[in-house]
Amino acid sequence: MVYIQRRETFSASHRLYNPSWTEERNFEIFGKCSNKRGHGHNFQLIVVVKGEVNPETGFVMNLADLKNLIRSNIIEFVDHTSLNEDIDFLDGIIPSTENLAIAFWKILSPLIVDHGAKLHCVHIIETENNSVEYFGK
Amino acid sequence: MVYIQRRETFSASHRLYNPSWTEERNFEIFGKCSNKRGHGHNFQLIVVVKGEVNPETGFVMNLADLKNLIRSNIIEFVDHTSLNEDIDFLDGIIPSTENLAIAFWKILSPLIVDHGAKLHCVHIIETENNSVEYFGK
Amino acid sequence: MVYIQRRETFSASHRLYNPSWTEERNFEIFGKCSNKRGHGHNFQLIVVVKGEVNPETGFVMNLADLKNLIRSNIIEFVDHTSLNEDIDFLDGIIPSTENLAIAFWKILSPLIVDHGAKLHCVHIIETENNSVEYFGK
Amino acid sequence: MVYIQRRETFSASHRLYNPSWTEERNFEIFGKCSNKRGHGHNFQLIVVVKGEVNPETGFVMNLADLKNLIRSNIIEFVDHTSLNEDIDFLDGIIPSTENLAIAFWKILSPLIVDHGAKLHCVHIIETENNSVEYFGK
Amino acid sequence: MVYIQRRETFSASHRLYNPSWTEERNFEIFGKCSNKRGHGHNFQLIVVVKGEVNPETGFVMNLADLKNLIRSNIIEFVDHTSLNEDIDFLDGIIPSTENLAIAFWKILSPLIVDHGAKLHCVHIIETENNSVEYFGK
Amino acid sequence: MVYIQRRETFSASHRLYNPSWTEERNFEIFGKCSNKRGHGHNFQLIVVVKGEVNPETGFVMNLADLKNLIRSNIIEFVDHTSLNEDIDFLDGIIPSTENLAIAFWKILSPLIVDHGAKLHCVHIIETENNSVEYFGK
C-alpha cells in the first residue's frame, strides 16, 4: 500500500454565517469571519490516494489522471467564486473548511474508486496557519 | 543605508470590475476575476524600509514599531473584508493588486518618515504565482 | 471525525546538555548542539485537534479559541526565551524537541477536552529539515 | 512513542518508461514523463522514525546520526544522477516516485533498527504538487 | 511605474559540460553537475514586468496574458525535457542557469513590449539554495 | 551582468542589548528581544553576487565555490553559537540583523573579488516575517 498526494489550489471568498441565528450571534461566534460581504483565501487542496503499486507503470494511480479528476470535479467549480452563493453542492452548508473537506470527499471518493484506488484523506489548507483533514469517517 | 522588510498577511475578497464597462466587457478583460460575487486571497504584504543604522540600537527602525504601524494603519482595515465595498481608502478604485500597492504606499510613506526612515517598496503577494511591487514612482 | 490544525511560531534558544555527564560526554553525544552559551531556532508548533463537526457552526472547535489557547498557555511562556533556564514547566528536562512536544501535550490536552474536542498530535518543526510529532502515547 | 522527521534533498533526472511496451504505449501512459532523454526534479526525501525517548539524551535517535545514515546510504548514490541508468539498486525498476519510496525503505529500514528505533514512513516530494508516502506494507 | 511578477515552473534535466574540454577538465570544473547522463531540477521561472498602471483595468499588463505568453513561448518548450539536447534555442549553449536566464530574456523581451510593458527581470530558481537573476544588460 | 544567489542557513541565539544603557532602557527599546538569557532563530543568509558570464563555464562564479566560501568564512563561525558571546568579529557590536548583514559584507566582499565577481547584496532572513538587506553602502 502506497499513498500518493496531489496538490491543487483555488482562490475563493466565503462568509461564516448561520442563517438561523441573529447577526449578533453570528458575530459573537464567527467574529470577523462573518463580515457581511465576505472575505477570501487562497485555498490549497491536497488529495491523498492509497493503493497497490501497479508493476507495469510503477503507479498507484496516474497522477495526471488524479490532477484532471480534481480539476474537472472540484477546482473548476470553486475557483474564483463565492463559496456561499455560487456552488450548488455547498447549498445550505456553512462553508467552513471542515464542511468543504467533507463535501469534497463525497465528490472525489467514488471517482477514485473508478480508477482502482481509494481516497485516503482530503486536506485543505486555508491559510499558512489553519488547515483541516478529513479521512471519510 | 540598510533595507529592512516586514511581512504581514491579510485575507480578503475582491472583484475586478470597471463600472463604466458592460458586464460583457468586464468578463472579456478580467475573466473569472470579475465573478459577480467576488473571490478571495490570502494576501502577503511586505513593506521594505531603508535608512541608516542607529548605532545605539543596531536598528534602521524598530521592527516592532513597523509591525504595529502596518497593522494599525493597513491590516486592521483590510483583513477579513471585501476590498470592493468595505474600505474607504479604496473607494472608486478597481482593487487590483497594483492599485492596492499604490494605495498602501500613500498611507505608509508619511508614517515611516515620522520614524526617521524611508519607505522603499510595497510588495504584495496575491498568490504563490502572482505579485506586485511599487517603489513610489 | 475531522482533524483541524493550527500553526503558531516562537523563537527561542536552547542547549542540549545532560548535567549528569561530563562536558566531554555532552559534546560527544550532542556535538555543536551542546555549545555552552546555547544556540536558537524559529520553532513552528502545529497543534492537531480532532472531533465531530458541530452542525450549528461547521467547526470541530473554533480556530480562534484554539489560537488563543495555544498562545496564552504555550507561546507566551516560551517565545523569546532560553528554554533551558526561563521555563518552569521544562525544569529538569533536556529541552530536545522530543521533550518539548511531550511537555506541550501535557499542557494542551486537558484544555482542549474542555472545548469538547481531543488533542490528536503536537508537531514541532525545529528547522526546515528536522521535526518531531507526538500523539500522546 | 515519538516520531522524528529528517528532510534531505537530491536533484536527479528520470524517465518513466516500461521497456516491455512500444514507444507509443509508453507515451500514451506516461505522456511527457516518458521523454526520451529524461527530465528532472529537486526531490525532497523525508524519513520518519519512531521510538521511545531515551531519558539520558531526550532523543528518539540522534538526528545527526539519522542525517548521516540517509546521506551515506541514499543521497550520495542518487544526487546528481540519472535514476534510470546510474543506480544499481534501481536496476530493472521503473523509477516512479512510488518505486523510489519502496526502494529507499528497503535500504533504510534495517539500518534504523540498528540504532534502536523503527522506520515509520518514507515520504518523497517530487514537485510542489506531487508526493508519495510509503509505510512499509 | 509598477512591477508585476509571474511565477511558472518546469521540470527538466541538464548536464554542465563544455565540449571543447576533456572529460577530466569538465569534472574538475563542474563536479557532479557534469555527470554523463545528466541530473535534474524543478525550476521556478519568475518573470518581472514593469509599466504604468492602466487606469481602465488597474493592470500594468493582464497577468493572464503574461501567464499565457510565458507558457506558450518558454514552458511548453522546456518542461519535461533535457535542456542539453531537446531545445533548439539552447543549441550550442552550456545550459547553466545563467545562460537559461539570458536565453529566456531574448525570447520574452520583445513579446512583452508588444503588450505595452517592459521586461524588467528574469529570475530562475534552480534549487531552494541557488538562483539567478538577469536584467537584460 | 548576471546576478547569482546562494542561500545558506544557520541557527544561533542572540540578545539585543546596549551595555551603555540600564536594564530598564534596554527593555523599553528592545522588549522581549532583550531577554537576559537570549532567544534564537534559524537564520537564512542569502548572498547575491554579480558579474559577467564566463563563456567557457556559463558561470558568473562557480556556485560550489561560493557555497564553500560562505560556509568556511561565515557559517562555521556562527552556526550553533550565541552571537553575543561566541563570535570574535561581532565583538562590541549589538547583534541586530542589520549589524550582522554589515559584518558579513565586510568578510565576504574581498573574498568574492578574488573570484573575479562582485558582492551585490547580503540578505538575512531572521524569521518568516523579518529580514534585512545590505548593498555595501
Side-chain angles (χ1 to χ4, degrees):
Chain A
M1 192 73 88
V2 172
Y3 296 72
I4 62 172
Q5 306 196 2
R6 174 73 195 175
R7 185 185 75 115
E8 295 290 332
T9 61
F10 63 98
S11 295
S13 65
H14 70 165
R15 179 196 184 189
L16 300 184
Y17 181 75
N18 183 331
S20 69
W21 290 347
T22 62
E23 286 291 312
E24 288 69 30
R25 178 80 178 137
N26 272 288
F27 274 94
E28 193 189 317
I29 300 299
F30 294 122
K32 61 187 179 177
C33 297
S34 201
N35 168 49
K36 230 175 193 158
R37 284 167 295 273
H39 63 281
H41 300 291
N42 304 320
F43 291 92
Q44 298 179 58
L45 167 58
I46 297 160
V47 175
V48 189
V49 166
K50 64 182 171 187
E52 303 291 332
V53 176
N54 180 332
E56 285 211 305
T57 58
F59 285 165
V60 166
M61 174 181 165
N62 196 323
L63 272 164
D65 292 342
L66 182 55
K67 175 180 76 173
N68 292 336
L69 188 156
I70 302 170
R71 289 189 179 178
S72 58
N73 291 285
I74 305 279
I75 304 300
E76 278 189 25
F77 291 93
V78 295
D79 189 31
H80 281 76
T81 67
S82 160
L83 299 177
N84 296 67
E85 300 160 280
D86 293 333
I87 316 295
D88 284 348
F89 65 76
L90 295 173
D91 205 40
I93 295 173
I94 300 172
S96 67
T97 311
E98 286 90 333
N99 282 337
L100 280 184
I102 295 170
F104 292 175
W105 177 283
K106 285 181 188 155
I107 293 167
L108 293 171
S109 183
L111 299 170
I112 288 165
V113 169
D114 294 346
H115 282 79
K118 287 188 69 173
L119 181 57
H120 175 66
C121 178
V122 169
H123 184 188
I124 303 178
I125 300 174
E126 191 191 53
T127 71
E128 63 189 23
N129 295 323
N130 296 345
S131 80
V132 163
E133 289 178 302
Y134 182 56
F135 296 85
K137 53 188 175 194
Chain B
M1 193 72 88
V2 171
Y3 296 71
I4 62 171
Q5 306 197 2
R6 174 72 196 175
R7 185 185 74 113
E8 294 289 332
T9 61
F10 63 98
S11 296
S13 65
H14 71 163
R15 180 197 183 188
L16 299 184
Y17 180 76
N18 183 332
S20 69
W21 289 348
T22 61
E23 287 289 314
E24 288 69 29
R25 178 82 177 136
N26 272 288
F27 274 95
E28 194 188 315
I29 300 298
F30 294 122
K32 60 187 180 178
C33 298
S34 202
N35 169 49
K36 231 174 192 159
R37 284 167 294 272
H39 63 282
H41 300 292
N42 303 320
F43 291 91
Q44 297 180 58
L45 166 59
I46 297 160
V47 176
V48 189
V49 166
K50 64 182 171 188
E52 303 291 332
V53 176
N54 181 332
E56 285 212 307
T57 58
F59 285 166
V60 166
M61 173 182 166
N62 196 324
L63 273 164
D65 292 342
L66 182 54
K67 175 180 77 174
N68 293 336
L69 189 155
I70 301 170
R71 289 190 179 177
S72 59
N73 292 283
I74 305 280
I75 303 301
E76 277 189 25
F77 293 92
V78 295
D79 189 32
H80 282 76
T81 67
S82 160
L83 300 176
N84 296 66
E85 300 159 280
D86 293 333
I87 316 296
D88 283 348
F89 65 77
L90 295 174
D91 204 40
I93 295 172
I94 300 172
S96 67
T97 311
E98 286 91 333
N99 282 337
L100 280 184
I102 295 170
F104 292 174
W105 177 283
K106 286 181 188 154
I107 293 168
L108 293 171
S109 183
L111 299 170
I112 287 165
V113 169
D114 293 348
H115 282 79
K118 286 188 69 172
L119 181 56
H120 175 67
C121 178
V122 169
H123 184 189
I124 305 178
I125 301 174
E126 191 189 54
T127 70
E128 63 189 23
N129 295 323
N130 296 344
S131 81
V132 163
E133 288 179 301
Y134 182 57
F135 296 85
K137 57 189 175 194
Chain C
M1 192 74 86
V2 172
Y3 296 71
I4 61 171
Q5 305 197 1
R6 175 72 196 176
R7 185 185 75 113
E8 295 289 332
T9 61
F10 62 98
S11 295
S13 65
H14 71 164
R15 179 196 185 189
L16 300 185
Y17 180 75
N18 183 331
S20 69
W21 290 348
T22 61
E23 285 292 312
E24 288 69 29
R25 179 79 178 139
N26 272 287
F27 274 95
E28 193 188 316
I29 300 297
F30 294 123
K32 60 187 179 177
C33 297
S34 201
N35 168 48
K36 231 177 191 155
R37 285 167 295 272
H39 64 281
H41 300 291
N42 303 320
F43 291 91
Q44 297 180 58
L45 167 58
I46 297 161
V47 176
V48 189
V49 166
K50 65 183 170 187
E52 304 291 333
V53 176
N54 180 332
E56 285 211 305
T57 57
F59 286 166
V60 166
M61 173 181 166
N62 196 324
L63 272 164
D65 292 342
L66 182 55
K67 175 179 77 173
N68 293 336
L69 188 155
I70 302 170
R71 289 189 179 177
S72 59
N73 291 284
I74 306 279
I75 303 299
E76 278 190 26
F77 292 92
V78 294
D79 189 31
H80 282 75
T81 67
S82 160
L83 300 177
N84 296 67
E85 298 160 280
D86 293 332
I87 315 297
D88 284 349
F89 65 77
L90 295 174
D91 204 42
I93 295 173
I94 299 172
S96 66
T97 312
E98 286 90 332
N99 282 337
L100 280 184
I102 295 171
F104 292 174
W105 177 283
K106 285 180 188 157
I107 293 168
L108 293 171
S109 183
L111 299 170
I112 288 165
V113 169
D114 293 347
H115 282 78
K118 286 188 70 172
L119 180 57
H120 175 67
C121 177
V122 170
H123 184 187
I124 303 179
I125 300 174
E126 189 189 54
T127 70
E128 63 189 23
N129 296 322
N130 296 343
S131 80
V132 163
E133 288 178 301
Y134 182 56
F135 296 85
K137 57 188 174 196
Chain D
M1 192 74 86
V2 171
Y3 296 71
I4 61 171
Q5 305 197 2
R6 174 71 196 176
R7 185 185 75 113
E8 294 290 331
T9 62
F10 62 99
S11 296
S13 65
H14 71 163
R15 178 195 184 190
L16 299 185
Y17 181 76
N18 183 331
S20 70
W21 290 347
T22 62
E23 286 291 312
E24 287 70 28
R25 178 82 178 138
N26 272 287
F27 274 94
E28 193 188 316
I29 299 298
F30 294 123
K32 62 187 177 177
C33 297
S34 202
N35 168 49
K36 230 176 193 157
R37 283 166 296 271
H39 63 282
H41 300 291
N42 303 320
F43 291 91
Q44 298 180 57
L45 166 58
I46 299 160
V47 176
V48 189
V49 166
K50 64 183 171 186
E52 303 291 334
V53 176
N54 179 331
E56 286 211 304
T57 58
F59 286 166
V60 166
M61 173 180 166
N62 196 323
L63 272 163
D65 292 342
L66 182 55
K67 175 179 77 173
N68 293 336
L69 189 155
I70 301 170
R71 288 189 179 178
S72 59
N73 291 284
I74 306 278
I75 303 299
E76 278 190 25
F77 292 93
V78 295
D79 189 32
H80 281 76
T81 66
S82 161
L83 300 176
N84 296 66
E85 299 161 280
D86 294 331
I87 315 297
D88 284 349
F89 66 77
L90 295 173
D91 204 40
I93 295 173
I94 300 172
S96 67
T97 311
E98 286 90 332
N99 281 337
L100 280 184
I102 295 171
F104 292 174
W105 177 282
K106 285 180 190 157
I107 293 168
L108 293 171
S109 183
L111 299 170
I112 288 165
V113 169
D114 294 347
H115 282 78
K118 286 188 70 172
L119 180 57
H120 175 66
C121 177
V122 170
H123 184 188
I124 304 178
I125 300 175
E126 190 189 53
T127 71
E128 64 188 21
N129 296 323
N130 296 344
S131 81
V132 163
E133 288 178 301
Y134 182 56
F135 296 85
K137 56 188 174 195
Chain E
M1 192 74 87
V2 172
Y3 296 71
I4 61 170
Q5 305 196 3
R6 175 71 195 176
R7 186 184 74 112
E8 294 290 332
T9 61
F10 63 97
S11 296
S13 65
H14 71 163
R15 179 196 184 187
L16 299 185
Y17 180 76
N18 183 332
S20 69
W21 289 348
T22 61
E23 286 290 312
E24 287 69 29
R25 179 79 177 139
N26 272 288
F27 274 95
E28 193 189 316
I29 300 298
F30 294 122
K32 61 186 178 178
C33 298
S34 202
N35 169 48
K36 232 176 191 157
R37 284 167 294 272
H39 63 283
H41 300 291
N42 304 320
F43 291 92
Q44 297 179 59
L45 166 59
I46 297 161
V47 176
V48 189
V49 166
K50 65 182 170 187
E52 303 291 333
V53 175
N54 180 332
E56 285 210 306
T57 57
F59 285 166
V60 166
M61 173 181 166
N62 196 323
L63 273 163
D65 292 343
L66 182 55
K67 175 180 77 173
N68 293 336
L69 189 154
I70 302 169
R71 288 189 179 177
S72 59
N73 291 283
I74 305 279
I75 304 300
E76 278 189 24
F77 292 93
V78 295
D79 189 32
H80 282 75
T81 67
S82 160
L83 300 177
N84 296 65
E85 300 160 280
D86 293 332
I87 316 295
D88 283 350
F89 66 77
L90 295 174
D91 204 41
I93 295 173
I94 300 172
S96 67
T97 311
E98 286 90 332
N99 282 337
L100 279 185
I102 295 170
F104 293 174
W105 177 283
K106 286 180 188 157
I107 292 167
L108 292 172
S109 183
L111 299 170
I112 288 165
V113 169
D114 294 347
H115 282 78
K118 285 188 70 172
L119 181 56
H120 175 67
C121 177
V122 170
H123 184 188
I124 304 179
I125 301 174
E126 191 189 54
T127 70
E128 64 188 22
N129 295 324
N130 296 344
S131 81
V132 163
E133 288 178 302
Y134 182 56
F135 296 85
K137 57 189 174 196
Chain F
M1 192 73 87
V2 171
Y3 297 71
I4 61 171
Q5 306 197 1
R6 175 72 196 175
R7 186 185 74 113
E8 294 290 332
T9 62
F10 63 98
S11 296
S13 65
H14 71 163
R15 179 195 184 190
L16 299 184
Y17 180 77
N18 183 331
S20 69
W21 288 349
T22 61
E23 287 289 312
E24 288 69 29
R25 178 80 178 138
N26 273 287
F27 274 94
E28 193 188 315
I29 300 299
F30 294 122
K32 61 187 178 179
C33 297
S34 202
N35 169 49
K36 231 176 193 158
R37 284 167 294 271
H39 63 281
H41 299 292
N42 303 320
F43 291 91
Q44 297 180 59
L45 166 58
I46 298 161
V47 176
V48 189
V49 167
K50 64 183 170 187
E52 303 291 333
V53 176
N54 180 332
E56 284 211 306
T57 58
F59 285 166
V60 165
M61 173 181 166
N62 196 323
L63 273 164
D65 292 342
L66 182 54
K67 175 180 77 174
N68 292 336
L69 189 155
I70 302 169
R71 288 190 179 177
S72 59
N73 292 284
I74 306 279
I75 304 300
E76 278 189 25
F77 292 92
V78 295
D79 189 31
H80 282 75
T81 67
S82 160
L83 300 176
N84 295 66
E85 300 160 280
D86 293 333
I87 316 296
D88 283 349
F89 66 78
L90 295 174
D91 204 41
I93 295 173
I94 300 172
S96 67
T97 311
E98 286 90 333
N99 282 337
L100 280 185
I102 294 170
F104 292 174
W105 177 282
K106 286 180 187 156
I107 293 168
L108 293 172
S109 184
L111 299 170
I112 287 165
V113 169
D114 294 347
H115 282 78
K118 287 188 69 172
L119 181 57
H120 175 67
C121 178
V122 169
H123 184 189
I124 304 178
I125 300 174
E126 191 189 53
T127 70
E128 64 188 22
N129 296 323
N130 296 345
S131 81
V132 163
E133 288 178 302
Y134 182 57
F135 296 85
K137 55 189 177 196

